[in-house]
Amino acid sequence: MFFYKILLYGSVIKNKLYCNCNKIIYFKNNCVTPTVLPKINVRYKVISDTHELEVYSNKSEILKKNIKLNYYLEKGCKLYLAMYEDYIVGYYLICKLNEFRPYLYNYHYIFDGNCAYYIFYCHTLFKYRGKGIYPYMLSKICEEHCNDNVIFYISASLNNLSSQKGIEKAGFFKKGILKNYFIGHVAISNRNRD
């Protein structure tokens, strides 16, 4: 367990020092959210601080992610847990970009806007994929943070087609493709397309 904690902290540090980004960036700048219903009866729980997470920290679905999830909660992010019966079937984070930027590529000018949110570190457990949970959770997250001037961003790897479909199903539009190597806050190579 100690070795695993070191690896997780190393992952957080790596995200601050180096990034090889090959992402499609999506945005949504309105509060119109399509009705997306999952194929199973999913409810969700919003976690705002580390004390709330302690209730779920012994669940096997997120046990190995506790250090990273606690780190993001300490930075002011909100965690959304998708629940089916008594099981966590997915987890998703959101942050305000003017307060915290989880990845180096979030400093790129493509992430503009005074009231911008970034949805990230999204994961639906393999057993529950293909059931519409991901677009449902994205819709719920956007509904809860919506106001007149809001912009939502989310990214997906270029080769993750199922994630791209879920994002688009939740009403997001492609803004561009970001292909950069970052060391610190400096983009070393710029291969972006809008």
Side-chain angles (χ1 to χ4, degrees):
M1 188 65 170
F2 176 74
F3 183 68
Y4 186 75
K5 286 182 180 182
I6 290 173
L7 288 177
L8 278 177
Y9 281 119
S11 172
V12 169
I13 292 169
K14 178 216 140 263
N15 285 343
K16 296 294 179 193
L17 298 176
Y18 168 78
C19 175
N20 180 2
C21 178
N22 288 301
K23 303 278 186 186
I24 298 176
I25 309 301
Y26 291 87
F27 78 103
K28 181 177 179 165
N29 62 356
N30 60 45
C31 291
V32 178
T33 302
T35 303
V36 180
L37 297 174
K39 296 176 184 172
I40 59 174
N41 190 18
V42 174
R43 67 186 197 289
Y44 65 94
K45 173 74 177 154
V46 183
I47 308 292
S48 299
D49 62 46
T50 57
H51 299 295
E52 291 178 70
L53 184 60
E54 286 177 12
V55 174
Y56 301 96
S57 62
N58 64 345
K59 296 272 191 182
S60 62
E61 302 91 346
I62 63 167
L63 186 61
K64 292 184 177 180
K65 305 295 181 191
N66 275 338
I67 293 170
K68 211 170 214 182
L69 294 175
N70 276 307
Y71 169 78
Y72 289 130
L73 288 170
E74 288 170 1
K75 296 296 182 181
C77 302
K78 287 191 178 180
L79 170 65
Y80 285 73
L81 297 176
M83 310 285 287
Y84 175 66
E85 296 176 348
D86 287 333
Y87 300 101
I88 296 172
V89 299
Y91 50 87
Y92 318 86
L93 284 158
I94 185 169
C95 66
K96 278 187 174 181
L97 286 174
N98 63 350
E99 295 174 4
F100 177 67
R101 296 183 185 245
Y103 305 113
L104 287 175
Y105 62 83
N106 292 134
Y107 290 93
H108 192 275
Y109 69 87
I110 200 168
F111 296 98
D112 59 359
N114 290 333
C115 190
Y117 287 94
Y118 183 60
I119 301 169
F120 68 105
Y121 203 59
C122 300
H123 181 74
T124 304
L125 274 63
F126 185 77
K127 179 179 172 181
Y128 297 96
R129 293 181 185 171
K131 299 185 184 316
I133 296 169
Y134 184 48
Y136 170 75
M137 288 303 296
L138 293 179
S139 297
K140 291 298 176 189
I141 292 168
C142 291
E143 283 175 15
E144 289 205 0
H145 294 276
C146 206
N147 64 44
D148 293 335
N149 301 324
V150 73
I151 299 172
F152 295 99
Y153 292 104
I154 191 168
S155 59
S157 294
L158 289 172
N159 60 355
N160 191 342
L161 299 178
S162 59
S163 183
Q164 293 169 30
K165 285 181 188 177
I167 291 168
E168 291 170 6
K169 197 176 200 180
F172 284 81
F173 299 96
K174 288 182 184 175
K175 183 164 186 172
I177 296 175
L178 189 59
K179 290 184 172 186
N180 281 6
Y181 296 101
F182 291 90
I183 296 179
H185 293 253
V186 179
I188 302 302
S189 92
N190 192 347
R191 303 167 282 141
N192 302 316
R193 291 186 297 169
D194 290 331

